[in-house]
Amino acid sequence: MMKKILLSLLVVATSFAAKAQFEGSKQIFESPKLKSEKATHKLVAILPFATKISYKKMPRNFNAEANRDQEKTMSKSIQSSMYTFLLRKAGDYTVEFQDVDKTNILLKKAGIADKLDEMTKDEVAKILGVDAVLGGSFETEQTKTEAGAIASAVLFGGFGGKTGTGTLTLTLNSGTSGDLLWRFFKTMNDSITTSTDDLVEHMMRKVSRNFPYAK
């Protein structure tokens, strides 16, 4: 009997820990212009996420170039996961989302794939031929000593255990004016043990009815 009780407590504690790993502060901003502007939107592009990987304690043999490559990999991975999520639930939204492969090709052809931080959002939207752009950022501070532990794990479907802390920001900007229409910010605790698909899935569940294009 005691073993069953202990086992039940262990299951509950494990479930609680899994849920708690994501529970951090969240903030949502909505512009007064959002309601009127989104009514005119038909096509929205999802941009590669600005991604930053830092370390609480700099690992030995740290390679800055390799770290930048890992940031780029994660940037496209989160973008792809976001598109997959929105495409899977396309019937729940009032707009269509541009295929991310097309988005990235158009950005590359325009020579701005690596210069998005030097462009206004309306300039980017014009190049992509969309009514608005959905983008954001993901920043993580690693506690593991192995360089790139979290980014390497992403390629294999998970972040590994207790790799660090992170903040995830999602933004929506007008394709006409470039103005910020909506912003979602979420912090996550230690023990980030998920793939980018799960990361986006969890974030979108938190956004829920506050997502601008939800029907």
Side-chain angles (χ1 to χ4, degrees):
M1 183 64 178
M2 182 58 71
K3 286 184 178 181
K4 287 184 178 180
I5 293 173
L6 289 174
L7 181 60
S8 296
L9 289 173
L10 179 61
V11 170
V12 171
T14 302
S15 299
F16 179 78
K19 181 180 179 182
Q21 67 182 2
F22 284 110
E23 297 310 314
S25 63
K26 71 173 180 178
Q27 301 171 7
I28 297 176
F29 162 79
E30 191 172 296
S31 168
K33 301 177 183 178
L34 176 62
K35 189 174 181 179
S36 60
E37 283 224 20
K38 73 176 184 178
T40 66
H41 295 174
K42 294 180 180 179
L43 184 63
V44 178
I46 305 165
L47 302 180
F49 275 58
T51 307
K52 182 179 180 181
I53 303 171
S54 59
Y55 298 88
K56 196 168 186 178
K57 182 180 179 182
M58 191 61 70
R60 286 175 293 179
N61 303 318
F62 175 76
N63 186 313
E65 185 176 351
N67 197 66
R68 283 194 295 271
D69 288 341
Q70 290 167 341
E71 289 174 337
K72 288 182 180 179
T73 297
M74 191 182 295
S75 169
K76 296 289 181 64
S77 182
I78 296 176
Q79 178 197 26
S80 179
S81 292
M82 178 64 68
Y83 178 61
T84 300
F85 177 91
L86 294 172
L87 193 64
R88 198 175 75 239
K89 297 179 178 293
D92 296 340
Y93 305 117
T94 58
V95 297
E96 292 184 4
F97 297 94
Q98 188 175 73
D99 185 289
V100 291
D101 288 336
K102 180 177 181 178
T103 298
N104 293 337
I105 288 171
L106 290 174
L107 292 175
K108 190 173 181 179
K109 281 185 175 180
I112 63 169
D114 296 319
K115 300 178 181 178
L116 291 177
D117 59 341
E118 299 175 16
M119 306 286 293
T120 62
K121 292 299 191 293
D122 50 309
E123 288 174 333
V124 174
K126 186 176 181 179
I127 290 169
L128 298 176
V130 296
D131 302 307
V133 290
L134 188 66
S137 63
F138 180 70
E139 296 186 12
T140 178
E141 182 182 58
Q142 298 304 289
T143 55
K144 276 190 173 182
T145 55
E146 298 89 345
I150 188 169
S152 299
V154 167
L155 300 177
F156 301 98
F159 287 109
K162 294 189 178 180
T163 54
T165 57
T167 60
L168 191 59
T169 304
L170 187 60
T171 57
L172 178 70
N173 289 76
S174 166
T176 305
S177 65
D179 291 343
L180 178 65
L181 298 176
W182 179 85
R183 179 181 184 271
F184 174 82
F185 173 83
K186 184 84 173 72
T187 62
M188 289 163 290
N189 297 329
D190 209 351
S191 304
I192 305 172
T193 55
T194 185
S195 66
T196 53
D197 283 343
D198 290 336
L199 187 71
V200 168
E201 181 95 26
H202 181 86
M203 179 185 69
M204 294 305 290
R205 284 203 305 268
K206 289 294 182 184
V207 172
S208 188
R209 296 174 185 175
N210 293 115
F211 188 63
Y213 300 117
K215 288 182 178 178

